[in-house]
Amino acid sequence: MADGTDIGYLMGTYSRLPVAFARGEGAWLWDERGTRYLDALAGVAVCGLGHSHPAVRQAICDQAECLIHTSNWYQIPLQEQLGQALCAVSGMERAFFCNSGAEANEAAIKLARLHGHERKIQNPSIIVMEGSFHGRTLATLSATGNRRVQAGFEPLVSGFNRVPYNDLDSVRQVGEHDNKVVAVLVEPIQGEGGIVIPDTGYLEGLRHLCDERGWLLMLDEIQTGMCRTGKWFAWQHEHLSPDIVTVAKSLGNGVPIGACLARGAAASLFHAGSHGSTFGGNPLAARAALAVIATLKQQKLDQRAAILGDRIIARLKEGFQSRTEVRSVRGRGLMIGIDLDRPCRVLMEIALGHGLLINVTAERTVRLLPPLILTNKEADEIVERLLVSVADFLKT
Ligand SMILES: *Cc1c(COP(=O)(O)O)cnc(C)c1O
């Protein structure tokens, strides 16, 4: 069916827009009829290097000719190289590889529990935030601060203690009353929650509380990581260092791969047999991710994302200046949110009609996560098409 609610052989987990893409290059996608779309979503922050990037394409082809998969029963030099490359850009010390964001967070949650049991805490709990998103597995949906993600899947996994986002006092209070806390799991900028940027000093404040109490600071950088916000990782806008970081989405530019990175004592909590993944860090995925990291570095795409983000945000602010229906334009690097005064999910379809791919999250926040390889002209084109789409939406 055209509305995508009943597509026969697939379970109805997604409400899909009525379009299928056949080809992609850079920031552009072509549908089956040859119509061209400008992609300001990049597969939800996955294709940071755009579609069919030559370096990633070459890496995948070369590796597929050579060796796709072995097993974590054997040494995997490409996985070791990737661990080293990720530690170099993050300042972390060790990596565990998996295949998705949820799995990376599962690893982090398991590390927190091991950390708690080492400290003789029987029922360790993790502080998580209202409005957060951490994935769809049972543990990660339990950690997620959105009832719609949890509804119907009870009983939830226990051991999460929820507080408001961007509120250090609440975290401090939980610490004073609950001696079972062992870690804080938090997004440096909330993505699904509506591009919520906390106050400067929030992450440093969390770091301070974690140090005081012996908790692990675990940052979910699945959406914010890999140069998107103008730094390799969003926490690097401040002066701190987390104990655990989770990465996925743009790590493989579309090849499924996730990673849980750790530093200090947290890096030595897993032992042989305590965790694992069949596919995790296989030669194909590791090779693709190495190509992604090399390209991000070579082209200094962290700096480029910052410049492009400033440009897009400035032009959007100007373009929406006289529109009282647009409540706020904000972002960091190429993670941009535009709040409207009303629910606006239908804007995704309206924008599609104008050849622009965007997302709406948290009901009324337009979310832009374009690829970092945009030209200035493409960045301006995103703004133009969005202004037209919003004008259309507000007319209806
Ligand atoms: C997308 C996302 C996840 C889940 O990643 P999957 O690969 O879909 O499992 C977790 N946390 C954040 C912040 C995300 O944006």
Side-chain angles (χ1 to χ4, degrees), residues 116-167:
H117 290 299
E118 272 205 345
R119 302 176 65 204
K120 309 274 181 261
I121 295 169
Q122 297 277 334
N123 289 300
S125 81
I126 299 171
I127 295 181
V128 292
M129 306 301 158
E130 286 171 10
S132 63
F133 181 79
H134 298 296
R136 299 283 192 161
T137 60
L138 273 174
T140 57
L141 75 80
S142 302
T144 290
N146 178 347
R147 271 304 298 161
R148 297 229 315 263
V149 173
Q150 300 171 337
F153 300 113
E154 297 81 3
L156 300 183
V157 173
S158 61
F160 296 104
N161 208 324
R162 197 170 307 286
V163 300
Y165 190 57
N166 194 23
D167 181 350

Side-chain angles (χ1 to χ4, degrees), residues 350-364:
I350 293 173
L352 188 71
H354 290 288
L356 178 68
L357 307 182
I358 58 166
N359 174 252
V360 172
T361 190
E363 297 294 329
R364 42 188 81 188

Side-chain angles (χ1 to χ4, degrees), residues 26 34 58 82 108 134 139 195 229 248 326 342 367 378 383 386 393:
Q58 195 64 51
L82 179 59
H134 298 296
I195 314 291
T229 70
V326 175
R342 64 196 75 181
R367 178 169 54 159
E378 287 164 342
V383 174
L386 187 62
F393 166 69

Side-chain angles (χ1 to χ4, degrees), residues 75-387:
Q75 295 183 2
I76 304 177
L78 285 166
Q79 189 184 122
E80 287 173 32
Q81 277 177 48
L82 179 59
Q84 186 182 25
L86 276 173
C87 287
V89 293
S90 65
M92 305 309 274
E93 290 167 5
R94 282 177 159 175
F96 169 81
F97 289 103
C98 50
N99 316 289
S100 68
E103 280 176 87
N105 284 336
E106 286 276 342
I109 292 164
K110 287 176 81 169
L111 285 174
R113 288 187 169 192
L114 285 178
H115 170 70
H117 290 299
E118 272 205 345
R119 302 176 65 204
K120 309 274 181 261
I121 295 169
Q122 297 277 334
N123 289 300
S125 81
I126 299 171
I127 295 181
V128 292
M129 306 301 158
E130 286 171 10
S132 63
F133 181 79
H134 298 296
R136 299 283 192 161
T137 60
L138 273 174
T140 57
L141 75 80
S142 302
T144 290
N146 178 347
R147 271 304 298 161
R148 297 229 315 263
V149 173
Q150 300 171 337
F153 300 113
E154 297 81 3
L156 300 183
V157 173
S158 61
F160 296 104
N161 208 324
R162 197 170 307 286
V163 300
Y165 190 57
N166 194 23
D167 181 350
L168 287 170
D169 272 339
S170 302
V171 178
R172 197 174 292 119
Q173 272 169 32
V174 170
E176 275 159 21
H177 298 111
D178 183 348
N179 52 18
K180 298 192 294 296
V181 175
V182 295
V184 177
L185 173 63
V186 59
E187 295 158 271
I189 297 174
Q190 288 187 337
E192 307 297 312
I195 314 291
V196 186
I197 306 174
D199 298 336
T200 306
Y202 176 59
L203 296 177
E204 283 177 29
L206 288 176
R207 175 73 275 174
H208 190 68
L209 287 171
C210 287
D211 287 341
E212 262 176 19
R213 310 230 165 224
W215 302 339
L216 298 176
L217 179 60
M218 313 200 294
L219 298 184
D220 180 341
E221 289 259 7
I222 290 162
Q223 194 163 143
T224 49
M226 309 303 290
C227 302
R228 173 147 304 275
T229 70
K231 300 267 186 195
W232 272 86
F233 297 96
W235 88 76
Q236 293 167 342
H237 290 282
E238 292 188 32
H239 302 283
L240 73 142
S241 191
D243 299 292
I244 293 177
V245 183
T246 53
V247 200
K249 291 209 162 88
S250 61
L251 178 54
N253 211 61
V255 175
I257 180 166
C260 176
L261 312 175
R263 171 180 78 84
S268 305
L269 287 166
F270 282 149
H271 294 291
S274 56
H275 194 45
S277 164
T278 297
F279 295 130
N282 82 9
L284 185 76
R287 180 80 178 263
L290 279 165
V292 169
I293 293 173
T295 307
L296 290 170
K297 269 191 194 159
Q298 266 163 22
Q299 301 184 10
K300 296 193 168 60
L301 288 175
D302 50 340
Q303 294 168 32
R304 182 70 187 145
I307 292 166
L308 281 165
D310 288 347
R311 182 184 182 102
I312 292 176
I313 290 167
R315 284 172 190 234
L316 285 173
K317 281 188 171 159
E318 198 188 309
F320 286 132
Q321 209 169 27
S322 57
R323 285 224 176 265
T324 51
E325 302 92 337
V326 175
R327 288 286 161 82
S328 124
V329 176
R330 64 183 174 282
R332 185 160 287 164
L334 288 175
M335 190 167 180
I336 299 168
I338 301 118
D339 282 349
L340 268 67
D341 65 351
R342 64 196 75 181
C344 58
R345 271 190 69 85
V346 68
L347 244 173
M348 291 196 279
E349 195 150 2
I350 293 173
L352 188 71
H354 290 288
L356 178 68
L357 307 182
I358 58 166
N359 174 252
V360 172
T361 190
E363 297 294 329
R364 42 188 81 188
T365 305
V366 175
R367 178 169 54 159
L368 305 181
L369 298 163
L372 318 182
I373 47 78
L374 291 178
T375 61
N376 288 348
K377 195 157 165 276
E378 287 164 342
D380 298 347
E381 187 72 33
I382 288 174
V383 174
E384 287 311 311
R385 291 186 188 202
L386 187 62
L387 293 180

